[in-house]
Amino acid sequence: FSALDRLHDYYGLVVLAAKFTCMEDMMEFFRSLKSLFDATNIQAPSSAVSPNRSGAEVVDMDALVAERQQKTERQMIDPAAISTPLKQKVFGQGEAIDSLAELIALNRMRKTDKLLVAMLLGPCATGKSETAKSVAEVLSDVTGTKYGFIELAGSEFVGEHSVHRFFGAPPGYVGHGQETALHAVRKNPRHVIVINEIEKADQTLIEGLMEAIDTGYLGMADNSKPIDLNQSILLFTSNLPVPMEEYAALNDFQRSEMCRDIFAKHCGRPEISSKIGNFIVYQNLSVEANAHIIIKFIRQELDNFDLKLGKISIPLMQEFLDRESSYGARAIAITVSTTVGKQLQRLLLKNANWSSVAGHTVSLSGSINNIQFDIN
């Protein structure tokens, strides 16, 4: 066993090399150091302790080191450091993003790690899932620590077999021992997890998640160690609209009560509403937000061909805006792909030397059905 080197690195102790013939001998050595642990006021986190086959507690030194590093690396975070880059990725939801950024900054700055849970409410394709994905990217940059991202659909977990994918299959059931939906959190405890349309999920999943919200640990049905979610962010989404004029006139407490009532009434899941203390409301996209989204997706489409966007003529932009859909940003992305992407592809295929234009700037004009590409 190589535990002594780890003790030296973690506590700064000078120790002599030693070998142990069995696990019990090594544990007896560790117990002899108990007074030293107490004197330095060091306590192993529960996540670093597990029983061995004989029932004795085994300390995971890797977990101890990770815990020590996490505590020393905790830093003050300005909510603006989170919200500013988020607003460059998600348009038209400034108030919602500011609220979410404040919650995250406060949660990350607290001395004790605690799972942050929030419900994102609002019409379909208004930026809820994109926000969740972008939060992981932004926090990775702001904190200097990699945040993973897991996106799941509530409708994926309907019925016993599908729920096993989340909590693990009990011994003797098909799938026992396989990785679960949140297994990645075991490897990296810092994750942004989003479950879209949570109201569609199985009751068993809902109950398990409600317990995790209370304790910060997701209990597993396969008898494996609970997953520690206390350094993660859990976001639920629902497409239920909120009457914005009425919502705007309320104070923060009344807004939360309204959101709880809306979710419980329409989805019949008051147990979710009562557990979630944070509701973030997304509104229908404005014309300005749609224009920004159109530009964003056109830039992405041109980037597929190593081209940069110059200008878009006003008539062409207006034609894109006139095709506004109730399906929000997702529909805009499809419209851009089926117009800009296809027409640009045909143009470049006709040009035998099309690769020579890579890196150039393109201005768009004409109509949606006949876009003119001016490559400079």
Side-chain angles (χ1 to χ4, degrees):
F1 300 101
S2 60
L4 292 179
D5 288 337
R6 296 170 185 264
L7 277 174
H8 182 276
D9 292 340
Y10 186 65
Y11 297 111
L13 300 178
V14 177
V15 296
L16 298 175
K19 293 184 179 179
F20 303 102
T21 58
C22 64
M23 180 66 75
E24 284 70 20
D25 286 345
M26 186 179 76
M27 290 311 302
E28 189 63 32
F29 170 76
F30 281 133
R31 291 191 187 99
S32 70
L33 299 177
K34 184 176 184 299
S35 60
L36 177 61
F37 293 163
D38 292 340
T40 53
N41 196 28
I42 296 172
Q43 181 178 2
S46 58
S47 60
V49 181
S50 60
N52 65 7
R53 292 181 180 178
S54 64
E57 288 187 341
V58 178
V59 178
D60 183 340
M61 298 305 294
D62 285 328
L64 275 173
V65 173
E67 177 77 5
R68 179 68 168 259
Q69 291 173 340
Q70 289 157 8
K71 293 304 180 184
T72 57
E73 290 171 2
R74 186 170 296 279
Q75 60 192 110
M76 302 294 285
I77 300 177
D78 185 347
I82 300 173
S83 63
T84 299
L86 279 179
K87 290 175 184 177
Q88 296 173 359
K89 299 173 181 289
V90 181
F91 302 102
Q93 305 296 351
E95 183 176 348
I97 288 175
D98 284 339
S99 298
L100 183 59
E102 289 173 357
L103 288 174
I104 294 172
L106 178 61
N107 178 267
R108 298 297 87 176
M109 287 160 52
R110 284 183 170 135
K111 181 178 180 180
T112 304
D113 292 322
K114 181 175 176 58
L115 172 65
L116 173 61
V117 183
M119 169 77 77
L120 311 184
L121 285 177
C124 174
T126 50
K128 300 186 295 293
S129 296
E130 182 66 21
T131 299
K133 180 179 180 180
S134 299
V135 164
E137 298 173 359
V138 169
L139 282 178
S140 296
D141 293 337
V142 171
T143 65
T145 302
K146 175 64 177 176
Y147 274 76
F149 175 67
I150 299 174
E151 183 174 17
L152 304 168
S155 57
E156 294 179 36
F157 301 96
V158 179
E160 183 180 46
H161 179 70
S162 61
V163 172
H164 287 168
R165 290 179 44 236
F166 202 90
F167 298 107
Y173 283 73
V174 175
H176 177 67
Q178 296 181 358
E179 291 187 358
T180 59
L182 301 188
H183 180 76
V185 182
R186 295 189 186 276
K187 300 178 181 179
N188 176 11
R190 299 193 178 188
H191 261 76
V192 177
I193 304 161
V194 57
I195 304 180
N196 292 313
E197 298 182 290
I198 183 61
E199 69 274 8
K200 295 182 179 180
D202 189 277
Q203 181 68 25
T204 304
L205 178 66
I206 298 294
E207 291 173 357
L209 285 172
M210 296 305 102
E211 181 180 350
I213 290 175
D214 284 337
T215 66
Y217 292 86
L218 182 69
M220 307 302 289
D222 60 2
N223 293 334
S224 64
K225 187 178 179 180
I227 298 177
D228 186 351
L229 299 174
N230 283 296
Q231 295 183 59
S232 292
I233 299 170
L234 177 59
L235 302 176
F236 300 124
T237 76
S238 179
N239 293 331
L240 292 175
V242 176
M244 292 308 298
E245 291 186 6
E246 182 180 351
Y247 179 83
L250 303 177
N251 59 38
D252 290 343
F253 173 78
Q254 293 170 328
R255 288 180 175 185
S256 293
E257 289 295 290
M258 170 188 274
C259 291
R260 288 192 182 92
D261 291 342
I262 289 174
F263 191 86
K265 178 180 178 180
H266 286 270
C267 303
R269 293 294 178 87
E271 69 276 21
I272 304 178
S273 293
S274 64
K275 292 281 186 180
I276 299 174
N278 304 304
F279 288 86
I280 309 293
V281 175
Y282 283 63
Q283 56 188 321
N284 285 312
L285 297 173
S286 64
V287 173
E288 180 181 0
N290 277 323
H292 282 295
I293 293 170
I294 290 168
I295 293 172
K296 172 184 174 179
F297 286 126
I298 289 178
R299 280 178 171 156
Q300 290 179 356
E301 199 64 39
L302 293 176
D303 186 61
N304 290 329
F305 301 92
D306 293 323
L307 295 170
K308 299 177 182 180
L309 177 63
K311 297 180 180 179
I312 304 174
S313 70
I314 293 178
L316 179 59
M317 173 59 78
Q318 187 59 56
E319 197 169 346
F320 273 114
L321 290 172
D322 289 342
R323 294 198 177 190
E324 178 185 359
S325 167
S326 59
Y327 296 98
R330 193 172 296 114
I332 294 175
I334 295 172
T335 299
V336 170
S337 179
T338 55
T339 55
V340 176
K342 286 185 176 180
Q343 292 182 49
L344 182 57
Q345 180 189 48
R346 287 197 292 265
L347 172 65
L348 295 178
L349 286 175
K350 291 179 181 178
N351 185 350
N353 297 319
W354 71 268
S355 59
S356 64
V357 303
H360 287 227
T361 299
V362 180
S363 294
L364 282 63
S365 60
S367 64
I368 282 184
N369 294 324
N370 186 23
I371 299 176
Q372 303 299 311
F373 299 95
D374 183 13
I375 303 176
N376 301 317

